[in-house]
Each structure stands twice: as C-alpha cells, then as structure tokens.
Amino acid sequence: MKLAYWMYAGPAHIGTLRVASSFKNVHAIMHAPLGDDYFNVMRSMLERERDFTAASASIVDRHVLAHGSQERVVDNILRKDKEERPDLIILTPTCTSSILQEDLQNFVYRASIISDSNVIFADVDHYQVNEIQAADRTLEQVVRYYLDRLDRCYRQEKLDQFLTNAPSVNIIGIFTLGFHNQHDCRELRRLLRDLDIGINQIIPEGGSVEDLKNLPKAWFNLIPYREVGLMTAMYLNKEYGMPYISTAPMGAVDMAEWIRQIQKNVNTLTLSSSIKRVDYEHYIDGQTRFVSQAAWFSRSIDCQNLTGKETVVFGDATHAASITKILAREMGIRVSCSGTYCKHDAEWFKEQIQGFCDEILITDDHAEVGDMIAQMEPSAIFGTQMERHIGKRLDIPCGVISAPVHIQNFPLGYRPFLGYEGTNQIADLVYNSFALGMEDHLLDIFGGHDTKEVITKSLSTDTGLIWNPESRLELSKIPRFIREKVKINTEKLARQKGIETITVEV
C-alpha cells in the first residue's frame, strides 16, 4: 500500500472490477466508502460503453462503522441477485474498507446460501498487490471456481477425448480498459483464421462464466500480455496439462516466433490424430514481406535517418520489452534506458531486454522516471501517459505505448499493436514521434511556431539561475529544435563557474 498522488497501477479492487465487468452477466460489488466507487464513471468514459457498468457499491458509512457491515453487505448481494439475475456476483473490499478487517468471506457464505447466483469473495491482499496483480489473480480465481466444480473425468488423464476435432485455442487476458486490447483481439482473430485455427474462448472480455467449463477443450492457450492471464494459463497447465504460449506477437521477429510456437504445439498434438502436420514458414514469409510494411520501412532512408538517435522506453513489462526490442533490433534505434513499473516481473523483463539497451530501470515512482529522462535528454520517449506529460515539460516528443493512458489512447479507429498490422502501427508511431530537424527548422524560419518568450523547462521548479532580457532574446533566435539543448548546456556552464545571472557573454 502506498500514499501517492499519481501511480502507474491503481489499487487492487480496480483490477478485480476490470475482470468482473469484462465477463457477461457478472456483477461486482465493492465494499467501500464514498469516493472509492469511481470505476463506473472511468470505464464508461474511456471504453465509451453504451451499457451501464455492472458494478455497484455497498457503502461504508457511519452506521456501518457503528453496527458492522454484515447485514448491509448481505442485503446488497441478495438485492442484486433479484434485480439482475447475474450468473456470478463478486464481492471485493477496497484499500480503505480493508482497514476494518471484517470477515467478508463469511458474509459471502451467508449470502450464497440464499442467493440463486453464485457468489465469491475476491481473494486478493489489497495491501500487497496492485491493480495488475489483482486482475491476474481474480481471473484465475474465477476460472478455478468454475472448473473445480466439474466432474473429475475432465482431469488430465482423460482430457484428450474432450479436445475439439480441429486445432483450437483460448485467448486469455483480453479485458476492459486494456491498452488497445480490442484492436489486438481483432488482429489475433484474423491471424488465427489465416492459420486455420479455431477460437474456443476469449476470456474475460465478452466471455460467459457458464462457458468456462469448456476451456479444457482447446488444444492450447494464448497469453498476449504477461500482466493478466499468466496465472490462469499456469493453473490450466498444471491441472489439465494444457500448453500455453506467453510470447507477445509484437514486432516482426517475435511475430514469427509466436507463429512457430503455434506450429510446434499443433504438430505435437496432431501426432495422436488424423489431422495433417502444418508448416507456416511460407505464411510468415509472405506476411513479413507483403502485409507488414515495417520490414521494408526499416531499410528505407526515412528509418535510416533515425539510426543512432537515443530513446527512452517505459511501460508495463510486455509492451516496454517488446518496443525496446523492436527499436533496437528491427529499426536500429538506440535505447538509452528501458524500464517497467511491473516490479513483480522484474527478472523476466531484465532477461528479455538484456543487450538491447544501455540501462534498465525498475520503479513505480514517476518522479524517478522523470529525472532519468531529464538527465539523458533523449530524442524521443516511448512510454505511458505520465511520460507524455514529462516529455511536454522537457519539450521531448513522446509516443504512448503502454497503459496507463487517457481517452486519446482509446481510439475509435483500428490500431492494433499485435500482429502484422500492429507492426505497421508501431512503425508509424515510432517515426512520427521523432521531431524531424529540417521540418522544425523550416517552421521556425517561416514563423510556424508561436513567439512566446522562452521559459525554463525542467522537472525542478527552482533552477537558481536568472536569464537577463538580452540573453533571453539571444536564446529565442536559436532554431527551436536545438534551443533546449543550448539552454541546458549554458546553465550547466553557469553552475560550474558559479554564475547566478546568465548574460549574452555567458
């Protein structure tokens, strides 16, 4: 638990609510004080949902503090059961209400005896985990709850007879408020259709909890993002022997690796059936050369102009690692520092980007990230909403590649990050994120920029240096695309020499 005015990942109950509201006909109830129930508004705004979010609050007020919550929580569960007839009701506390240390599991047990709906308590430690970890745990808990009710004949020793006739997969981890998740899901559908692989289920987004019993019928599982779905895949692998692929199909190289892993899994399971073995090498070659323009673009003069430019990458583990590898391996762009706020997945992240960047930063403190960017002075940043704000203050362009994001990164158009179409989107994002020197210079010459007085731009509000009017005028004459660097270097010199007022001579 952390007191902060801004965080990369929200509190645990938000992760639980995101999973619950992704499923069809599942209702979530927060045991929370007023103020903790902002999720409904946030989801409706960002996802532009036409329907009301299936989440409500059992409010903790002075009466609850005086007499306890049991009666109110049970009544709220039973009321929602009668009003909406959901398949499942999930009760979750928030960080605030967890302080009361009430036995909510007992409340759930009492309500489940009377309720027609299934009722479970979100088994998450709200003091130890964040939004992402809670979402991963909640999805695994829901899947486990429904599969554990199955007859033991579904277990691993008799699983083969229940597999679908043709190769099929489950896509696990697509859910509400995910970064470009809906677009990525559409691209994955297209890819799997091209490979003649059926989709058994997609969870939690749009899935039904009543259909979870059919998850073991798929040949294997696909986990597009490590953040959510990996615990579920590991559970299914342990209990039902289901293989899973956790490689993110992002970028041409990892895209090819992802398809080869699918080929390996399909051919392994076809040994015991009459289905022919598959070979996807021709498909990989065709898609890489003719559908994805990224491979061609990386050899063009436009991309070669970016060679050697320095960048900083920061985001969740999946997107930050993939973008780092794409920049360094596929586009020849130097990554000065790559980092993630997923501290729980630090070891995997370090292993993935080893050799692709100069420095690695693992932190969930945005101020530390801002200071690192200010010191490195990269040509471009690829990060979250917070790095975009940092970039604006430092006059460094930023391409958004990871959650958390605001509404402009929930586009209405089709913009996947996964698959071969995703490689085109990423190439466009990377190229358009850099400030092209000549274009900026021409805008300066022809008065394309505003003529506001040059102001101090740094993450510190107190620089301790004064620019006199003559020096400010001289600075404003310098072309904009190098003005900030000249300003920073001048201030460095002034500090070294102990000068407090910067003049034209300095």
Side-chain angles (χ1 to χ4, degrees):
M1 199 168 180
K2 183 177 181 180
L3 180 64
Y5 67 89
W6 196 90
M7 295 172 66
Y8 284 101
H13 74 276
I14 297 296
T16 296
L17 295 175
R18 286 175 65 186
V19 170
S21 59
S22 296
F23 279 111
K24 291 189 295 188
N25 205 30
V26 171
H27 192 91
I29 297 178
M30 291 170 274
H31 180 54
L34 285 171
D36 279 0
D37 55 347
Y38 58 87
F39 174 78
N40 297 38
V41 177
M42 180 175 70
R43 181 174 181 269
S44 298
M45 177 186 70
L46 295 178
E47 289 283 14
R48 300 182 175 96
E49 285 285 334
R50 291 175 173 84
D51 301 322
F52 288 108
T53 301
S56 57
S58 178
I59 299 299
V60 176
D61 55 19
R62 65 180 188 275
H63 301 294
V64 168
L65 293 175
H67 303 291
S69 304
Q70 179 171 297
E71 185 177 339
R72 177 172 291 188
V73 170
V74 173
D75 285 348
N76 283 329
I77 292 173
L78 297 178
R79 180 168 57 84
K80 284 300 172 184
D81 174 50
K82 290 177 181 177
E83 289 176 357
E84 301 188 13
R85 298 291 180 188
D87 296 323
L88 175 67
I89 296 174
I90 301 177
L91 176 67
T92 177
T94 65
C95 294
T96 314
S97 62
S98 295
I99 297 171
L100 300 177
Q101 295 291 302
E102 293 184 289
D103 189 4
L104 296 181
Q105 181 65 64
N106 183 48
F107 302 171
V108 164
Y109 174 72
R110 288 195 57 190
S112 64
I113 296 173
I114 310 169
S115 170
D116 293 328
S117 307
N118 294 311
V119 187
I120 64 173
F121 172 65
D123 185 19
V124 173
D125 187 337
H126 290 259
Y127 297 112
Q128 297 295 325
V129 301
N130 61 27
E131 170 188 354
I132 296 170
Q133 294 165 288
D136 199 18
R137 169 69 184 120
T138 301
L139 180 58
E140 188 260 355
Q141 183 186 357
V142 172
V143 170
R144 183 188 292 268
Y145 175 79
Y146 279 90
L147 289 183
D148 280 354
R149 300 165 69 201
L150 294 176
D151 186 73
R152 290 294 173 181
C153 67
Y154 269 83
R155 293 303 182 186
Q156 185 173 348
E157 60 271 13
K158 294 185 179 180
L159 181 62
D160 291 346
Q161 62 182 299
F162 294 105
L163 292 177
T164 57
N165 293 326
S168 65
V169 298
N170 297 315
I171 302 176
I172 303 175
I174 304 288
F175 74 137
T176 190
L177 296 179
F179 181 74
H180 290 241
N181 274 22
Q182 307 298 333
H183 312 277
D184 288 343
C185 185
R186 183 172 155 191
E187 180 67 8
L188 291 178
R189 283 176 177 272
R190 185 190 71 80
L191 286 165
L192 294 169
R193 185 171 61 248
D194 289 350
L195 299 174
D196 289 326
I197 294 176
I199 297 176
N200 184 48
Q201 287 193 49
I202 298 173
I203 61 167
E205 185 61 37
S208 169
V209 291
E210 295 298 331
D211 293 334
L212 292 178
K213 62 181 181 292
N214 295 320
L215 281 175
K217 291 185 177 181
W219 287 32
F220 53 95
N221 296 313
L222 299 178
I223 317 300
Y225 321 105
R226 288 183 61 82
E227 286 69 36
V228 179
L230 197 56
M231 285 184 70
T232 304
M234 293 169 71
Y235 162 73
L236 291 170
N237 177 257
K238 179 182 177 182
E239 296 295 326
Y240 297 92
M242 296 182 72
Y244 65 90
I245 297 172
S246 59
T247 300
M250 201 181 304
V253 176
D254 281 349
M255 186 69 236
E257 173 61 23
W258 182 76
I259 293 176
R260 290 186 181 111
Q261 288 184 34
I262 289 176
Q263 175 181 300
K264 179 182 177 182
N265 278 286
V266 170
N267 287 338
T268 300
L269 291 168
T270 53
L271 293 175
S272 57
S273 69
S274 58
I275 298 174
K276 292 182 180 178
R277 291 170 62 84
V278 296
D279 185 355
Y280 295 136
E281 290 300 326
H282 181 70
Y283 178 79
I284 293 171
D285 180 63
Q287 293 284 311
T288 304
R289 290 202 292 159
F290 303 115
V291 174
S292 169
Q293 301 297 310
W296 166 83
F297 176 76
S298 66
R299 296 191 297 272
S300 70
I301 188 65
D302 289 320
C303 190
Q304 287 176 22
N305 285 336
L306 303 179
T307 302
K309 284 188 177 289
E310 294 187 31
T311 61
V312 165
V313 179
F314 195 85
D316 65 43
T318 297
H319 288 88
S322 294
I323 295 297
T324 298
K325 290 186 283 187
I326 290 169
L327 291 172
R329 181 170 60 189
E330 300 180 22
M331 303 184 79
I333 298 170
R334 180 182 171 189
V335 181
S336 299
C337 182
S338 180
T340 182
Y341 56 83
C342 298
K343 296 165 75 172
H344 61 281
D345 215 6
E347 291 306 313
W348 176 87
F349 182 79
K350 291 175 182 177
E351 179 186 326
Q352 288 295 305
I353 63 170
Q354 196 67 44
F356 292 109
C357 61
D358 299 340
E359 294 181 26
I360 298 173
L361 179 64
I362 311 294
T363 182
D364 58 2
D365 183 351
H366 65 88
E368 191 176 342
V369 178
D371 289 341
M372 176 268 293
I373 293 172
Q375 290 167 11
M376 291 194 166
E377 302 172 28
S379 300
I381 309 165
F382 297 97
T384 71
Q385 168 188 323
M386 178 51 71
E387 282 65 58
R388 189 166 60 83
H389 295 326
I390 292 168
K392 282 186 176 180
R393 293 181 65 185
L394 297 174
D395 200 22
I396 300 173
C398 177
V400 177
I401 54 96
S402 166
V405 293
H406 201 46
I407 194 165
Q408 63 264 49
N409 293 110
F410 287 87
L412 294 173
Y414 182 51
R415 294 183 186 174
F417 268 56
L418 303 184
Y420 287 108
E421 181 56 37
T423 63
N424 296 334
Q425 295 291 338
I426 292 170
D428 282 341
L429 176 70
V430 170
Y431 186 69
N432 294 331
S433 294
F434 283 93
L436 305 178
M438 184 53 69
E439 179 187 9
D440 223 15
H441 186 46
L442 289 172
L443 284 169
D444 253 353
I445 291 173
F446 294 108
H449 292 298
D450 60 44
T451 54
K452 291 179 183 174
E453 184 182 6
V454 178
I455 59 172
T456 299
K457 289 177 184 168
S458 73
L459 293 180
S460 172
T461 55
D462 180 21
T463 62
L465 297 173
I466 301 169
W467 288 70
N468 70 13
E470 293 80 12
S471 63
R472 283 178 177 273
L473 179 63
E474 192 67 25
L475 184 64
S476 68
K477 296 177 184 176
I478 296 171
R480 185 174 176 276
F481 70 97
I482 59 166
R483 185 186 298 153
E484 185 63 25
K485 224 156 208 179
V486 171
K487 181 177 180 296
I488 290 170
N489 289 338
T490 304
E491 290 181 347
K492 278 183 184 174
L493 177 71
R495 288 192 184 93
Q496 287 171 2
K497 298 201 170 191
I499 299 171
E500 294 183 357
T501 303
I502 295 175
T503 62
V504 175
E505 289 73 22
V506 175

